[in-house]
Amino acid sequence: MNMPTPNNTLNIETVLKKIERTRQARRHKFYLRDEKITLSHGSGGKATHNLIEGVFAPAFSNPLLDTMDDAAIFGPTESGPRLAFTTDTYVVSPLFFPGGDIGKLAIHGTINDLAMAGAKPLYLSAGFILEEGLPIADLRRIVASMAQAANEAGVAIVTGDTKVVQRGKADGLFINTAGIGLIDTSRSIGQTQLQPGDRVLLSGPIGDHGIAIMLAREALDIETDVKSDTAPLHSLVSALLAAAGQDVHCLKDPTRGGVATALNEMALSSEVSIALDERAIPVRPEVRGACEILGLDPLTIANEGKLLAIVGQEQAAAALNALRSHPLGREATLIGTVQAEPQGMVFLRTEIGGMRVLDMLVGDPLPRIC
Amino acid sequence: MNMPTPNNTLNIETVLKKIERTRQARRHKFYLRDEKITLSHGSGGKATHNLIEGVFAPAFSNPLLDTMDDAAIFGPTESGPRLAFTTDTYVVSPLFFPGGDIGKLAIHGTINDLAMAGAKPLYLSAGFILEEGLPIADLRRIVASMAQAANEAGVAIVTGDTKVVQRGKADGLFINTAGIGLIDTSRSIGQTQLQPGDRVLLSGPIGDHGIAIMLAREALDIETDVKSDTAPLHSLVSALLAAAGQDVHCLKDPTRGGVATALNEMALSSEVSIALDERAIPVRPEVRGACEILGLDPLTIANEGKLLAIVGQEQAAAALNALRSHPLGREATLIGTVQAEPQGMVFLRTEIGGMRVLDMLVGDPLPRIC
């Protein structure tokens, strides 16, 4: 098997070959049969991958895009620093929900995509689509929330754009944020970097964001006070990288599609297997309860303030300590290990002692979660 | 008057003071009275400025944003190169129109925003909002058009995102493109840089894009073959900068709001006056005819493949020659001059010898033009 060398130095030929093989494997796995866009294509799960691999990836193919990480990494000049560049559009409904709003989410989400590339977030853009009739008071509240989130995280919104569409042609407002971050090491972090023996760390309990949105949206008779976990994760990442040095192989925030989808993407990209221990995965009782009532699997529910870290075995304990020492990682746990075979698969050792394949999210139980 | 020094070296205190005064002046000029979003807020004209100055600018204020140029310019590290960063969202209706489609427009528009900052476009992001039910054949056609436009312009789409909303919550698809470009000179190009005596150059006939969209949208009994002028302007800008050296003070592509709005923005930002000669402004007969029938002023109609260049008097002839030597600038003309007074105003010497104030676009005769 053509693994990255243990010290993570980048052999460009190896990486390109790996990317090509992964793309071939994905094309085989992801096949777009649909003739029209369905809500599932926005799930972040299997249908989204079908769409990406069936339409976007072949048309736009280039070495930076083909890694399919959440951010593209490049050096604009030979001698200058490396930068990370990412984009995300937010269509969450409702616009305001327990724990946050679409504006805060748009800032945190793009900060997190940069942080997961090991980058220090610097600058954001903001593109708005406003529906005719949107109360300007709502817009002011969302913009104030964005400004506060950006200030607190130490990033600046430096460029923007506003469009308006007729009533009934959008849903209140949609926001796109793109972001630029600075990478100040030669470390290669990404979903092609997993190695057998690596440990899988999770920074805290899962499912809060998705369930909070679900409960805010539906008039359900479930009394809980679940709040979105939306949070900027860049300082948690800094702490982790400081503690575990060159041994952090991949970082990913399990948003749409949840932990199950994020880990499947890694297993496919790195051609490894991931084995999880279900009992080790923290889920708040109220989230678990809501999932049971609604027939949902917490492993496929979106999070907006959690991260998965794949860390070499030697540094795993130090990495876990670093996460737990940070306010956003106090409940961090070791949830699994990376294995060589069978490639591209994620397994779950269940609470009752069985073993099941954990696939990506199929369908979309919670459309417009972010 | 506190003008930039003639050689365009950047005195940071002067620039910041200028920005602050301009912002004060703008707040006075632009006052947001509305309680709800209207289509005019998306026009690119006066109502858009009211919204930006009333909501976005005060909340997000920072030195990079406050210049209000189409791209933000920064050096991510002290020693490294300067970069330009910009974003634009595209909601044009219909998705396909004579001369182009929403995808081509999204690539060209962001390339042009980078080029107007004097930057070489490098990388683009693409964020899609898809409406449930969109035919995947339409999406494929748009994505292929984006890929072709990017390839032809030598830029790569390196990161992306896809969201789906329910039927009736969007209008087919919307695209956001953000872009990063490289600035390889110390030249300061921007709308605070105009100086009395500068010449105003226009790269070709105006109004084609707006009228093409209007005619594609409405079942009007006007028989013409007006096509959108959508084009990537970065190589035209390269030719211009090579010819006119440090004497190019500002570049702007007059999109939403047209030439009238673009020049008013410059006059306000630089605290100068601009005098135009109406007879010198090229408008194709078929565009002029359509404007007369529809009661529109070509000076307020969107263009997607034209630029305004403000050039010091000495180099104006060389600049005009450079534009005319390029396929996209063959019909370039000198249309006016910059004057010291009255600050913030644009005047038009009309064809019949009169003089009128040319204001920004008020209202929005052509919503969703880009």
Side-chain angles (χ1 to χ4, degrees):
Chain A
M1 225 179 106
N2 211 341
M3 293 299 303
T5 50
N7 66 357
N8 254 335
T9 54
L10 197 74
N11 176 329
I12 188 69
E13 273 180 40
T14 309
V15 170
L16 289 180
K17 220 183 291 170
K18 203 169 177 66
I19 288 169
E20 188 48 39
R21 272 192 296 143
T22 306
R23 282 174 49 200
Q24 298 288 348
R26 279 215 200 97
R27 294 233 172 90
H28 185 69
K29 190 173 166 83
F30 299 110
Y31 180 72
L32 185 67
R33 288 175 193 84
D34 315 276
E35 289 186 2
K36 286 180 185 290
I37 292 293
T38 67
L39 289 172
S40 295
H41 290 124
S43 67
K46 197 166 266 184
T48 304
H49 280 260
N50 290 346
L51 184 67
I52 290 172
E53 295 300 325
V55 177
F56 298 111
F60 296 154
S61 178
N62 62 66
L64 289 176
L65 182 72
D66 296 348
T67 64
M68 290 290 162
D69 281 310
D70 284 339
I73 295 173
F74 56 88
T77 56
E78 296 247 336
S79 59
R82 291 194 307 155
L83 299 176
F85 181 33
T86 188
T87 187
D88 241 323
T89 303
Y90 297 84
V91 299
V92 64
S93 169
L95 298 176
F96 303 95
F97 47 81
D101 58 73
I102 188 172
K104 195 170 168 182
L105 203 64
I107 300 297
H108 290 166
T110 292
I111 286 174
N112 291 349
D113 281 345
L114 294 171
M116 296 308 131
K120 177 183 187 298
L122 296 177
Y123 298 115
L124 302 187
S125 66
F128 295 85
I129 299 174
L130 310 178
E131 185 189 6
E132 182 186 14
L134 176 74
I136 286 181
D138 285 357
L139 178 62
R140 281 190 198 281
R141 198 174 144 200
I142 288 162
V143 164
S145 173
M146 292 177 78
Q148 190 187 340
N151 284 341
E152 285 172 2
V155 302
I157 298 162
V158 295
T159 188
D161 179 57
T162 307
K163 293 293 190 304
V164 179
V165 297
Q166 298 92 337
R167 203 180 291 265
K169 300 296 185 186
D171 193 13
L173 89 167
F174 303 140
I175 303 175
N176 176 282
T177 45
I180 295 177
L182 183 64
I183 298 181
D184 62 0
T185 72
S186 58
R187 194 184 279 122
S188 284
I189 296 175
Q191 57 186 18
T192 58
Q193 302 291 318
L194 275 67
Q195 299 173 23
D198 285 355
R199 298 301 190 249
V200 182
L201 308 180
L202 172 64
S203 68
I206 60 171
D208 295 11
H209 177 75
I211 294 300
I213 298 290
M214 185 74 179
L215 297 179
R217 195 182 296 168
E218 309 287 345
L220 296 173
D221 269 346
I222 304 176
E223 278 189 35
T224 74
D225 60 348
V226 179
K227 282 190 183 136
S228 167
D229 60 343
T230 181
L233 295 171
H234 59 309
S235 70
L236 182 64
V237 169
S238 291
L240 175 64
L241 293 178
Q246 298 286 330
D247 241 13
V248 175
H249 296 163
C250 180
L251 295 168
K252 208 167 174 85
D253 54 335
T255 57
R256 278 186 299 173
V259 166
T261 304
L263 291 177
N264 268 283
E265 287 170 349
M266 293 184 208
L268 278 169
S269 288
S270 288
E271 300 176 330
V272 294
S273 176
I274 297 175
L276 300 177
D277 182 354
E278 188 169 28
R279 287 163 308 180
I281 299 170
V283 184
R284 293 185 206 287
E286 55 269 37
V287 170
R288 192 179 294 281
C291 280
E292 276 167 15
I293 292 168
L294 299 167
L296 300 171
D297 180 352
L299 284 162
T300 62
I301 305 291
N303 311 277
E304 293 289 342
K306 299 298 180 308
L307 64 78
L308 290 159
I310 313 299
V311 183
Q313 187 176 353
E314 292 78 15
Q315 292 291 318
L320 193 56
N321 270 336
L323 291 174
R324 286 179 177 164
S325 304
H326 189 283
L328 291 173
R330 271 196 298 262
E331 298 172 75
T333 50
L334 169 67
I335 65 166
T337 57
V338 178
Q339 302 173 349
E341 304 281 348
Q343 291 183 6
M345 305 280 282
V346 180
F347 293 93
L348 193 68
R349 280 183 221 99
T350 62
E351 298 190 4
I352 53 167
M355 185 78 119
R356 68 172 171 100
V357 172
L358 183 66
D359 203 352
M360 286 191 183
L361 175 63
V362 175
D364 192 357
L366 295 172
R368 296 181 59 191
I369 212 71
C370 61
Chain B
M1 226 176 104
N2 212 341
M3 294 299 303
T5 50
N7 65 357
N8 254 336
T9 55
L10 197 73
N11 175 329
I12 188 70
E13 273 179 41
T14 308
V15 170
L16 288 179
K17 220 184 289 172
K18 206 170 175 65
I19 287 168
E20 186 51 37
R21 272 191 298 145
T22 307
R23 282 173 51 200
Q24 298 289 347
R26 278 214 201 98
R27 293 229 173 93
H28 186 70
K29 192 172 166 82
F30 299 110
Y31 181 70
L32 185 68
R33 287 175 193 83
D34 314 277
E35 290 186 2
K36 286 180 186 291
I37 292 293
T38 67
L39 288 172
S40 294
H41 290 123
S43 67
K46 197 165 265 184
T48 303
H49 280 260
N50 291 344
L51 183 68
I52 291 172
E53 294 299 325
V55 176
F56 298 112
F60 296 155
S61 178
N62 62 66
L64 289 177
L65 182 72
D66 295 350
T67 65
M68 290 291 161
D69 282 309
D70 283 340
I73 295 172
F74 56 88
T77 55
E78 297 245 337
S79 59
R82 290 192 309 153
L83 298 175
F85 181 33
T86 189
T87 187
D88 242 323
T89 304
Y90 297 84
V91 298
V92 65
S93 169
L95 298 177
F96 303 95
F97 47 80
D101 57 72
I102 188 172
K104 195 170 168 182
L105 203 64
I107 300 296
H108 290 167
T110 291
I111 286 174
N112 290 350
D113 281 346
L114 293 170
M116 297 308 130
K120 177 182 189 298
L122 296 178
Y123 299 115
L124 301 187
S125 66
F128 294 85
I129 298 174
L130 309 179
E131 184 189 6
E132 182 186 14
L134 175 75
I136 285 181
D138 285 357
L139 179 62
R140 281 190 198 280
R141 197 174 144 202
I142 289 162
V143 164
S145 172
M146 292 177 78
Q148 190 188 339
N151 284 341
E152 285 173 1
V155 302
I157 298 163
V158 295
T159 187
D161 179 57
T162 307
K163 295 292 191 306
V164 179
V165 299
Q166 299 91 338
R167 202 180 292 264
K169 301 294 186 187
D171 193 13
L173 88 165
F174 304 139
I175 303 175
N176 176 283
T177 45
I180 294 178
L182 183 65
I183 298 181
D184 63 0
T185 73
S186 58
R187 194 183 280 120
S188 283
I189 295 175
Q191 57 185 19
T192 58
Q193 302 290 319
L194 275 68
Q195 299 173 23
D198 284 356
R199 297 302 190 250
V200 181
L201 308 180
L202 172 64
S203 67
I206 60 172
D208 294 12
H209 177 75
I211 294 301
I213 298 290
M214 185 74 179
L215 297 179
R217 196 182 295 168
E218 310 287 346
L220 296 173
D221 269 346
I222 304 177
E223 277 188 37
T224 74
D225 60 347
V226 179
K227 281 189 184 139
S228 168
D229 60 343
T230 182
L233 296 170
H234 59 308
S235 70
L236 181 63
V237 169
S238 291
L240 176 64
L241 293 178
Q246 297 287 329
D247 241 13
V248 176
H249 297 162
C250 181
L251 294 168
K252 209 168 175 86
D253 53 336
T255 57
R256 278 186 299 174
V259 166
T261 303
L263 291 177
N264 268 283
E265 288 170 348
M266 293 184 207
L268 279 169
S269 289
S270 288
E271 300 178 330
V272 294
S273 177
I274 297 175
L276 300 178
D277 181 356
E278 189 169 28
R279 286 163 308 180
I281 299 171
V283 183
R284 294 186 206 286
E286 54 269 39
V287 169
R288 190 180 295 280
C291 280
E292 275 168 14
I293 292 168
L294 299 166
L296 300 171
D297 180 352
L299 285 161
T300 62
I301 305 292
N303 311 278
E304 293 289 342
K306 298 297 178 310
L307 63 79
L308 290 159
I310 312 298
V311 182
Q313 187 177 352
E314 292 76 16
Q315 293 291 319
L320 194 55
N321 270 336
L323 291 174
R324 286 180 177 163
S325 304
H326 189 283
L328 291 173
R330 271 196 299 261
E331 297 172 76
T333 51
L334 169 68
I335 64 166
T337 56
V338 178
Q339 303 173 347
E341 304 282 348
Q343 291 183 6
M345 306 280 282
V346 179
F347 294 93
L348 193 68
R349 279 185 222 99
T350 62
E351 298 190 4
I352 53 166
M355 186 76 120
R356 70 173 170 98
V357 172
L358 183 66
D359 204 351
M360 286 190 180
L361 175 63
V362 175
D364 191 357
L366 295 172
R368 297 180 57 192
I369 212 71
C370 61

